[in-house]
Amino acid sequence: MTDIVNIDKYNKLIIENELLKKKNVELEEKLKTYTNTERNKKYYEKNSEKVKEKAKTYMEKMKTENPEKLKEWRHTAYMNRKNKLEQSIK
């Protein structure tokens, strides 16, 4: 009797494992659409001027609308550079 219960549990675990493997493969395929670096590289190579122009206009907009946020970003960048320099010295 216990052998039958054990076999049944074992079969359920095998089925569940197969389902999880299939789900994992599906999710990995979906993730590839968002993390495809080759596609992103091609886009930036083709549209580099457009991307640079968008970044420039965004920064100009930030200067006028929210200069405090810009100060915060610059301070954070400074602190990160400082930490990297300290770590490289050690």
Side-chain angles (χ1 to χ4, degrees), residues 46-59:
K46 289 180 181 178
N47 301 304
S48 64
E49 294 301 319
K50 191 186 301 183
V51 170
K52 288 177 185 176
E53 188 62 34
K54 279 185 179 180
K56 186 177 180 181
T57 57
Y58 180 73
M59 288 305 287

Side-chain angles (χ1 to χ4, degrees), residues 56-72:
K56 186 177 180 181
T57 57
Y58 180 73
M59 288 305 287
E60 290 297 323
K61 180 179 155 188
M62 287 299 293
K63 283 180 186 177
T64 59
E65 290 181 1
N66 198 355
E68 292 300 317
K69 188 70 171 177
L70 204 57
K71 284 182 184 178
E72 181 183 329

Side-chain angles (χ1 to χ4, degrees), residues 5-7 15 17 22 28-30 33 35 37 39-40 44 48 50 52 54 56 60 65 68-70 76-77 79:
V5 173
N6 288 337
I7 291 173
I15 293 170
N17 190 13
K22 288 179 185 177
E28 285 178 352
E29 289 297 320
K30 287 182 181 179
T33 61
T35 58
T37 57
R39 183 184 65 191
N40 292 338
Y44 288 113
S48 64
K50 191 186 301 183
K52 288 177 185 176
K54 279 185 179 180
K56 186 177 180 181
E60 290 297 323
E65 290 181 1
E68 292 300 317
K69 188 70 171 177
L70 204 57
T76 304
M79 294 305 287

